[in-house]
Every structure is written in structure tokens, then in C-alpha cells.
């Protein structure tokens, strides 16, 4: 076997270890730090999609409400500035996972997911946010002929629940993407596609500033102190007194021992190519520009940007004690395995260069979907744990977290996913051993031509209750 390392190193030469989405002169200047003592009706901690969607929904519902949003670093510097940016209606990590985890609520969760994506789109229109959305649909592609029966069953499941889906045999798949890696696929066409996450976050930030939300960047919450019905949120140079706190800190909440019991943090990695030339585009086809996931257990997902870069991600890893920022993400060598996956899907793009590579935290719960933590008085709520499927679902999570804080009687708050918490995750070092075994099992399943349903199966094998 020839050593491919020099070639991979040359493809990565000069790549910046920084998210492509935020690597732009269009990034807005940061808002000033929170300094001094103040008060607010609602404090939102975290300026990713959950925090931004919470701010916009809270302010639109009640414009008189005084809202402060604090972000430890810059807006969208967490997972929200780093995703693949594939969006879909599912609020529970896909239809198959919805059926697996909440079989009694599938119809209702499907309806809520459609409603969420319609409201997502309407908000962008209302505020004139241009986030390069392409409603091109999402396509799931089989990496092995052995995956076809299960993929077809998933296609039928989508049909049963009224999704506008098209089955693609091998030739049909080739018409959508000229890659030898795929044997079949199905294309789900409605309310799904791709978005530029940076532009989305910056557009939401501009909208909440215009609505009068006070935003402070570089202002980490150090602690929150309970004084009866009032909470005091402490930052390095100030304090905010408030009746309600929404913690929109997703993976970072793993530093809280209570939340950590039901949440773990994996690292996922991304590559961005230079814009493809016309000739490179004609080699790969991709006329309908869908967001694509494959059926690998360590799945890859990829999409095009407006200027025809390929954004390519996948291959989860775990670092001891749920490290949210992995030092390894700053080394180009870390991305060599992902480049090999890229070349297996795009062998005719071996001359392409990568401009950006980056990693990011994926907050995972045993049920692969959002969860809540509520303080005993329900005046502090954390929502997160979207398990790598949160660009759209974060709007929904934020809406429900606000409803809990506002004591609204929303029917969805009676559904099992709110009433029931996900299963416990084991403590360290068992967590590290379990995660490493799981990723090893998944790699092995892939080598043998596996299927991504092995993920929940592996978790069950390791006795993580779902
Ligand atoms: C590599 C990768 C690829 C992904 N691909 C997709 C995809 O294609 N489609 C999809 O739907 N989802 C995807 N996701 C998941 C999606 O990005 C997340 O689910 C979503 O962005 C979570 O948003 P959030 O606001 O809850 O969390 P985050 O964006 O992580 O925001 C949390 C914020 O809280 C801040 N914070 C933390 N602690 C404090 C503190 N003490 N004080 C103040 N601020 C604090 C952090 O700095 C951060 O900005 C991907 C994620 C990653 C990492």
C-alpha cells in the first residue's frame, strides 16, 4: 500500500484551524462586556443558536420585556459557528430516532418539527436575514449494498409519515452525485436543505439588537446565586439581578455535575475546501445541491456552500472528562483520517485544497435529542443536548425553555421528552472507556460495511439506557 500521508499533507497545507463560517470580514464587531450592576426580566446565558432564538422569541412575544444576553466569548463561537449547516424539520434527530425514542408521540413531534421550521423561515423573512439558505433537501446515501434494505425501510417510514421523499437506486444516486461510494439513497425534499450558520447567527444577533435586547460578549457567567425568587448572575466585572435565567450553554453545561450525569460531549470535525472550479464541479455533478448524510456508523455529512466549497464533516471522537475544546483540533494531523474519508467519497477531487479545518463539541444524550434541566423553582432552565442536530431544533428548544420559565401551559410540555429525562451516562473513567469502545465498535462496523443504527445498538450494548 502506498503512503498517502504526503498527499494528504499537501491538500491541508496552509489550511486554517478555524471555522470557515466565521473566517470572514463580515463578522460583526463584538458588543461590549457586561460591566457593573444591572437588572433584567430575563437573562440568557450563551450566544449560540439556542440563546439567539430564545432572545428573539421572548422579545417578539413581549416587547416590553427587558432582556440581557451574555456570551463568554463571541456570538456563535460555540457549536453554532461550526456545524455542517444541514437543516431539516426533525426536532428529535431524525424520524428513525423519533420512532425509536418516543413511539407514542411521533405524529405530534413531526407536526411540531414542521411548525418549527416554518416559524424559523418566517422569522428570517420578517427580519430580512439572508443566511444563504438553499431548500435543496437532505439526502441519505448508502455506503454499502448491505445497507440498502434498512435504508429502504427508512424511506418507507418517511413515506408513511407524509414526507416528500424520492428513492434513488445506484444509477439515480449517481445522477445526484457522481461518486462511486454510494449504492442507493433517498432524498427528502421539503423544509430541509443548507444554511450558512455564521450568517444566520449574525443575522439573528442584528435582529435582537434592533429589538432592544442588551447583548454583552466576552462576558462569561461565573456563577449564579439564588436569593429567594431573585437570581444574581455574576460576570467578571458585573452582576445582573433577574427573575429568570435561561442557560443556553449546551456542551459547556457539562461542567455542572447534575447536567453531566445525563450528557456527554463528543468532538466532531469539519473540512472546508477552496471554491471548486467549474471543471471540478462537473466531475462531481451534484446538480440539486442537497445536504447529504451517509449510512456509515461514523457517519460523514457534506454540503456545498454558495461559492461551491464542499463542507465535509464527521468521525466523532471523545476526550477524557468531556473536554469541550480539544487541543488536538489545532493540529492538522488530527484531520488526516477525515481527509481519507473525503477522498473515498470524492476520489476525483484529489487535487482540491482545504482552506479551513475545525472541530466542535457535540452534546450527546442517550436519546440523541434535546433535554432540559430545571431548577427546583423553575426560574432557571437549561436546554441543550441536541446530539449534532441542533441548527433547527435549537429554535424549538429555546421556545420550550421560555415556556417553562414563563409557566405557560403549552401542550407540548406534557409530552414524554419533556416529562422524562434521558438515561444516566456513567461517570469517568467508565465514560471514557465506554465512549472509546463505542467509537471503536462503530469504526469496526464501518470497515465491515455497517449501518448507522449501530450507534444506538452500541449504546445499549454498553448499558447506557436510552
Ligand atoms: C462539527 C459540528 C457539526 C454540526 N453539524 C450540524 C448540522 O449539520 N446540522 C445541525 O442541525 N446541527 C449540527 N451541529 C449541532 C449544532 O451546531 C448545535 O446543536 C447547535 O449549534 C447548538 O446551539 P447552542 O446555542 O445550544 O450551543 P452553542 O452554539 O455551543 O452555544 C453555547 C454558547 O454558550 C457559551 N457559554 C458557555 N459557557 C458560558 C458561560 N459560563 N457564560 C456565558 N456564555 C457561555 C459558549 O461560548 C457558546 O457560545 C453540529 C455541531 C458541530 C460541533
Amino acid at each position: 500500500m502506498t503512503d498517502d500521508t504526503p498527499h494528504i499533507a499537501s491538500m491541508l497545507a496552509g489550511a486554517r484551524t478555524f471555522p470557515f463560517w466565521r473566517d470572514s470580514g463580515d463578522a460583526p464587531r463584538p458588543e461590549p462586556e457586561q460591566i457593573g450592576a444591572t437588572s433584567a426580566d430575563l437573562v440568557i446565558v450563551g450566544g449560540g443558536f439556542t440563546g439567539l432564538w430564545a432572545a428573539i422569541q421572548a422579545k417578539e412575544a413581549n416587547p416590553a420585556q427587558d432582556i440581557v444576553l451574555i456570551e463568554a466569548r463571541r456570538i456563535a463561537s460555540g457549536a453554532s459557528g461550526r456545524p455542517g449547516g444541514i437543516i431539516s424539520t426533525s426536532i428529535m434527530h431524525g424520524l428513525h430516532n423519533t420512532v425509536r425514542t418516543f413511539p407514542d408521540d411521533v405524529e405530534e413531534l413531526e407536526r411540531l418539527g414542521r411548525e418549527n421550521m416554518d416559524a424559523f423561515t418566517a422569522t428570517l423573512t420578517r427580519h430580512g436575514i439572508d443566511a444563504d439558505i438553499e431548500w435543496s433537501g437532505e439526502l441519505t446515501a448508502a455506503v454499502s449494498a448491505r445497507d440498502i434494505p434498512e435504508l429502504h425501510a427508512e424511506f418507507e417510514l418517511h413515506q408513511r409519515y407524509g414526507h416528500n421523499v424520492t428513492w434513488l437506486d445506484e444509477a439515480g444516486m449517481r445522477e445526484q452525485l457522481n461518486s462511486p461510494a454510494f449504492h442507493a439513497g433517498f432524498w427528502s425534499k421539503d423544509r430541509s436543505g443548507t444554511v450558512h450558520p455564521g450568517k444566520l447567527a449574525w443575522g439573528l444577533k442584528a435582529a435582537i439588537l434592533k429589538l432592544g435586547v442588551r447583548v454583552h460578549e466576552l462576558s462569561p457567567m461565573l456563577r449564579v446565586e439564588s436569593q429567594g425568587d431573585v437570581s444574581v448572575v455574576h460576570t467578571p466585572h458585573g452582576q445582573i439581578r433577574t427573575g429568570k435565567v435561561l442557560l443556553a450553554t449546551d456542551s459547556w453545561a457539562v461542567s455542572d455535575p447534575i447536567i453531566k450525569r445525563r450528557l456527554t460531549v463528543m468532538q466532531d470535525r469539519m473540512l472546508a475546501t477552496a471554491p471548486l472550479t467549474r471543471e471540478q464541479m462537473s466531475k462531481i455533478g451534484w446538480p440539486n445541491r442537497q445536504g447529504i448524510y451517509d449510512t456509515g456508523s461514523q457517519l460523514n455529512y457534506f454540503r456545498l456552500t454558495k461559492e461551491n466549497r464542499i463542507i465535509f464533516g464527521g468521525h466523532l471522537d471523545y476526550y477524557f472528562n468531556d473536554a469541550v475544546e480539544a487541543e488536538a483540533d489545532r493540529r492538522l494531523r488530527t484531520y488526516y483520517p477525515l481527509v481519507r474519508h473525503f477522498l473515498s467519497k470524492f476520489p476525483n477531487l484529489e487535487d482540491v485544497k482545504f482552506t479551513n479545518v475545525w472541530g466542535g463539541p457535540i452534546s450527546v444524550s442517550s436519546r440523541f435529542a434535546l433535554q432540559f434541566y430545571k431548577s427546583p423553582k423553575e426560574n432557571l432552565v437549561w436546554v441543550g443536548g441536541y446530539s449534532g442536530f441542533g441548527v433547527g431544533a435549537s429554535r424549538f428548544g429555546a421556545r420550550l425553555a421560555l415556556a417553562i420559565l414563563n409557566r405557560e401551559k403549552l401542550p407540548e410540555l406534557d409530552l414524554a421528552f419533556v416529562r422524562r429525562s434521558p438515561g444516566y451516562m456513567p461517570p469517568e473513567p467508565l465514560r471514557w472507556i465506554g465512549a472509546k469502545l463505542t467509537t471503536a465498535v462503530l469504526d469496526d462496523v464501518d470497515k465491515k460495511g455497517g449501518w448507522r443504527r449501530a450507534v444506538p445498538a452500541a449504546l445499549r450494548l454498553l448499558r447506557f439506557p436510552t
Side-chain angles (χ1 to χ4, degrees):
M1 220 169 96
T2 53
D3 179 13
D4 62 358
T5 314
H7 179 58
I8 291 177
S10 75
M11 293 174 82
L12 285 168
R16 279 164 55 74
T17 53
F18 189 76
F20 163 72
W21 307 118
R22 292 170 45 226
D23 196 6
S24 155
D26 295 339
R29 63 174 174 76
E31 292 304 303
E33 285 172 58
Q34 199 279 319
I35 296 174
T38 185
S39 62
D41 298 316
L42 167 68
V43 174
I44 297 169
V45 181
F49 289 135
T50 301
L52 293 164
W53 280 115
I56 206 162
Q57 292 179 92
K59 201 67 183 170
E60 287 192 333
N62 179 2
Q65 204 176 176
D66 186 14
I67 303 174
V68 172
L69 184 152
I70 55 170
E71 161 55 47
R73 297 174 296 172
R74 300 282 301 268
I75 291 295
S77 55
S80 301
R82 315 186 202 187
I86 302 177
I87 42 173
S88 78
T89 51
S90 183
I91 46 179
M92 293 287 148
H93 208 284
L95 181 55
H96 176 259
N97 193 52
T98 314
V99 172
R100 180 183 75 88
T101 45
F102 301 110
D104 298 335
D105 298 334
V106 180
E107 296 279 2
E108 185 57 5
L109 291 169
E110 283 278 288
R111 187 190 67 73
L112 290 167
R114 288 192 296 272
E115 202 177 271
N116 180 56
M117 200 37 79
D118 288 345
F120 178 110
T121 313
T123 306
L124 268 53
T125 308
R126 207 163 45 248
H127 292 278
I129 298 173
D130 178 1
D132 293 352
I133 293 194
E134 296 189 44
W135 294 112
S136 47
E138 48 182 341
L139 199 162
T140 312
V143 288
S144 152
R146 265 183 289 179
D147 294 348
I148 295 176
E150 283 209 54
L151 188 66
H152 201 268
E154 193 166 326
F155 161 71
E156 286 170 346
L157 185 68
H158 279 77
Q159 278 187 316
R160 207 173 319 139
Y161 283 97
H163 289 244
N164 175 11
V165 280
T166 301
W167 177 254
L168 304 163
D169 60 13
E170 191 155 357
M173 191 57 226
R174 278 281 180 125
E175 279 169 25
Q176 298 305 323
L177 184 71
N178 184 22
S179 165
F182 304 115
H183 300 263
F186 78 88
W187 177 11
S188 181
K189 294 181 177 165
D190 290 342
R191 296 184 179 85
S192 55
T194 57
V195 64
H196 186 307
K199 290 188 182 177
L200 176 60
W202 299 334
L204 290 171
K205 174 183 167 179
I208 62 172
L209 285 170
K210 211 163 167 192
L211 289 170
V213 174
R214 288 185 278 156
V215 177
H216 297 290
E217 294 175 61
L218 305 170
S219 303
M221 179 187 85
L222 301 177
R223 64 182 201 282
V224 55
E225 185 189 344
S226 181
Q227 298 181 352
D229 287 342
V230 171
S231 299
V232 183
V233 175
H234 291 264
T235 64
H237 307 292
Q239 309 90 39
I240 317 160
R241 289 172 69 79
T242 182
K244 296 174 213 161
V245 180
L246 197 161
L247 288 182
T249 50
D250 197 28
S251 298
W252 278 264
V254 83
S255 62
D256 180 293
I258 296 177
I259 295 175
K260 188 182 174 86
R261 284 187 214 151
R262 300 174 195 274
L263 188 79
T264 190
V265 177
M266 308 286 288
Q267 291 295 322
D268 214 5
R269 305 227 159 78
M270 309 288 312
L271 308 168
T273 69
L276 300 189
T277 61
R278 197 179 296 231
E279 192 195 341
Q280 286 170 326
M281 278 302 287
S282 71
K283 280 187 192 166
I284 60 166
W286 212 341
N288 291 303
R289 308 172 62 84
Q290 305 91 336
I292 301 182
Y293 317 98
D294 70 32
T295 58
S297 297
Q298 278 277 34
L299 96 157
N300 290 128
Y301 48 96
F302 35 99
R303 44 81 53 100
L304 288 166
T305 66
K306 196 174 166 186
E307 64 275 25
N308 291 335
R309 295 171 190 268
I310 297 177
I311 306 292
F312 187 91
H315 217 80
L316 289 171
D317 209 344
Y318 179 79
Y319 291 91
F320 191 75
N321 210 16
D322 298 284
V324 178
E325 303 276 2
E327 180 57 37
D329 288 357
R330 289 191 268 277
R331 293 192 286 270
L332 289 180
R333 289 193 78 82
T334 302
Y335 300 87
Y336 284 16
L338 191 57
V339 174
R340 289 193 180 97
H341 281 278
F342 176 92
L343 286 171
S344 73
K345 309 290 155 52
F346 296 102
N348 44 13
L349 290 184
E350 58 180 6
D351 56 340
V352 89
K353 294 270 184 226
F354 296 102
T355 60
N356 297 73
V357 298
W358 66 97
I362 304 265
S363 57
V364 182
S365 81
S366 59
R367 66 190 190 200
F368 291 103
L370 77 170
Q371 55 172 306
F372 301 88
Y373 165 79
K374 302 176 232 175
S375 65
K377 288 188 186 157
E378 299 203 348
N379 57 354
L380 178 148
V381 175
W382 169 82
V383 59
Y386 307 101
S387 305
F389 224 87
V391 175
S394 51
R395 184 196 168 278
F396 179 73
R399 168 77 189 95
L400 264 59
L402 289 172
I404 296 169
L405 287 169
N406 294 333
R407 301 193 175 13
E408 283 176 65
K409 297 268 172 268
L410 280 190
E412 40 271 51
L413 293 180
D414 288 328
L415 294 175
F417 80 94
V418 184
R419 280 188 289 102
R420 279 204 327 253
S421 297
Y424 283 120
M425 301 275 187
E428 294 293 8
L430 289 177
R431 183 174 294 211
W432 182 85
I433 296 167
K436 287 291 173 191
L437 275 172
T438 306
T439 44
V441 167
L442 300 182
D443 287 343
D444 195 47
V445 169
D446 280 342
K447 271 185 222 135
K448 293 176 179 151
W451 167 249
R452 67 202 151 100
R453 281 180 200 181
V455 178
L459 284 175
R460 276 198 297 278
L461 187 80
L462 291 159
R463 301 195 186 287
F464 292 166
T466 53

